[in-house]
Amino acid sequence: LSGSAGAGLRRLRGDGLHLRVRLRRPPPAADVVFTLRESLKPNKNYIFYCQSCGDIVVKDRKFLRVLPLPSENWSELVEEWCCHPDPFARSTLHPQHGDCFLGDTFFLLNSGNKSHVLESPKSKENTRVICKRCKTMLGETVSSDTIKYFVTEVIIQPAEGSFSPTPRSQFVQSVVAQCLLELSSAKSTFRFTIKGDNGKTYILIWLLNSDTLLVESLGSSSSHSDFTVFGDLLTPSSAPVGTWNAVKVLYQPCIKCRNKELADAWENDMGVHPLKFPSETCLELLLILGLSTASLPPSLRCMNSFQV
């Protein structure tokens, strides 16, 4: 940081001191997120770990094909574009034994090799796939031979590597931010509904920008244990100031029927992209967003009717 403390320093009533600074940024650190679309390659052995406890979910799986899936509303789009009956109406996109299909927030595997998970009793539509050790929901069975794993619940690493735990809130933030960035870049979509596996809408998110840089003095953060913007991020100890890339979002909670009219309007808007996660993870994400908002100065916490 350069500039004197007196330059650009002012006090806002009820908001504290505001200081305008110029930042000379060090080289960005390597991303901790294991990005599936870039890092999952054919003909390599991978191990799937439960992100919460580190237990092995799938051991030594090699894929012959790693293919992206179309968006979840692709069948509705086909109906809009085709002048004849949907030619894919009876087709199902289920992976064969050597396949891994990548969705927006999940990946599909063939369950030919028995994975190290428990399956809960059959529900109305899907069966929840649960970690044997910690009982966290990892995904759901889509059919008799296909399992869907959510990207927020499983860490995939090369078989020759070892499992390195990542703090839960850091992992959830990173994975969700990665989903928002990829979809906004590929589809010019900036509004998202966060839905649970129970079909309920938990959060409305509007991606405001993706070039935000967060700065924190590491010296001051070690003296207290309060939540900061960075949550439980592991901060480097070699520099007096830590910097992190971040996305800035506007959001509205939808639990307990809050913002129902806006949620219904977004539900019927083709410009809004739905993202599905386990319901427990949706609540975790809502808590993370709320704590992040509370860590901002009061004047920066809201924009129109949305929280920042």
Side-chain angles (χ1 to χ4, degrees):
L1 297 172
S2 64
S4 63
L9 183 65
R10 61 196 179 105
R11 178 183 292 276
L12 297 183
R13 178 175 294 180
D15 210 31
L17 292 174
H18 282 229
L19 175 65
R20 185 176 296 275
V21 296
R22 180 183 300 141
L23 177 67
R24 294 193 185 100
R25 188 187 178 195
D31 194 356
V32 298
V33 177
F34 189 90
T35 307
L36 288 178
R37 294 181 188 277
E38 297 176 359
S39 302
L40 203 56
K41 304 293 185 184
N43 297 314
K44 287 189 176 182
N45 286 327
Y46 292 95
I47 298 178
F48 295 46
Y49 299 90
C50 170
Q51 197 280 325
S52 297
C53 71
D55 197 29
I56 292 179
V57 177
V58 179
K59 191 172 184 178
D60 287 340
R61 181 68 71 91
K62 180 187 288 187
F63 301 110
L64 301 177
R65 301 189 302 173
V66 180
L67 302 173
L69 287 167
S71 58
E72 291 200 22
N73 61 343
W74 69 275
S75 57
E76 287 86 348
L77 296 177
V78 169
E79 292 178 0
E80 295 290 333
W81 284 93
C82 286
C83 58
H84 50 78
D86 183 358
F88 307 107
R90 296 185 179 180
S91 302
T92 55
L93 296 173
H94 288 176
Q96 301 302 310
H97 177 68
D99 295 341
C100 179
F101 291 173
L102 304 178
D104 294 334
T105 62
F106 62 88
F107 47 92
L108 298 181
L109 298 185
N110 187 282
S111 56
N113 273 0
K114 193 62 179 177
S115 56
H116 296 226
V117 294
L118 291 173
E119 295 183 3
S120 61
K122 203 72 177 175
S123 62
K124 294 178 182 177
E125 297 179 1
N126 296 312
T127 302
R128 290 165 64 93
V129 177
I130 301 169
C131 174
K132 278 185 176 181
R133 181 191 287 174
C134 68
K135 304 301 186 287
T136 297
M137 178 188 173
L138 304 176
E140 54 195 22
T141 57
V142 178
S143 69
S144 59
D145 61 353
T146 303
I147 295 181
K148 173 195 288 186
Y149 290 105
F150 289 105
V151 295
T152 52
E153 314 308 317
V154 175
I155 289 181
I156 305 175
Q157 293 186 342
E160 60 270 16
S162 59
F163 176 76
S164 53
T166 303
R168 177 66 183 165
S169 71
Q170 177 190 356
F171 185 79
V172 171
Q173 288 180 72
S174 299
V175 169
V176 173
Q178 190 72 34
C179 289
L180 299 182
L181 286 176
E182 288 184 2
L183 287 168
S184 64
S185 175
K187 303 180 180 180
S188 296
T189 298
F190 302 98
R191 289 181 296 161
F192 305 88
T193 55
I194 305 298
K195 293 175 171 288
D197 60 283
N198 56 7
K200 294 182 179 179
T201 299
Y202 284 80
I203 316 170
L204 307 178
I205 289 185
W206 198 325
L207 178 61
L208 197 59
N209 62 49
S210 57
D211 58 356
T212 298
L213 187 68
L214 300 179
V215 184
E216 183 177 53
S217 170
L218 303 181
S220 63
S221 65
S222 61
S223 61
H224 60 80
S225 59
D226 295 341
F227 182 91
T228 71
V229 160
F230 314 107
D232 53 14
L233 287 178
L234 301 175
T235 56
S237 57
S238 58
V241 173
T243 60
W244 290 264
N245 288 319
V247 296
K248 182 181 288 186
V249 300
L250 309 180
Y251 70 97
Q252 291 276 24
C254 294
I255 56 174
K256 298 180 179 178
C257 295
R258 292 176 63 182
N259 300 302
K260 187 176 186 310
E261 289 186 9
L262 183 60
D264 290 342
W266 280 32
E267 187 75 30
N268 298 318
D269 191 330
M270 289 294 288
V272 178
H273 194 86
L275 296 176
K276 182 179 175 183
F277 299 103
S279 301
E280 296 87 347
T281 301
C282 295
L283 293 173
E284 284 182 87
L285 179 60
L286 189 55
L287 177 61
I288 290 169
L289 288 168
L291 290 171
S292 180
T293 299
S295 71
L296 297 173
S299 62
L300 302 179
R301 294 176 187 173
C302 294
M303 182 176 289
N304 298 330
S305 61
F306 284 83
Q307 297 181 64
V308 181

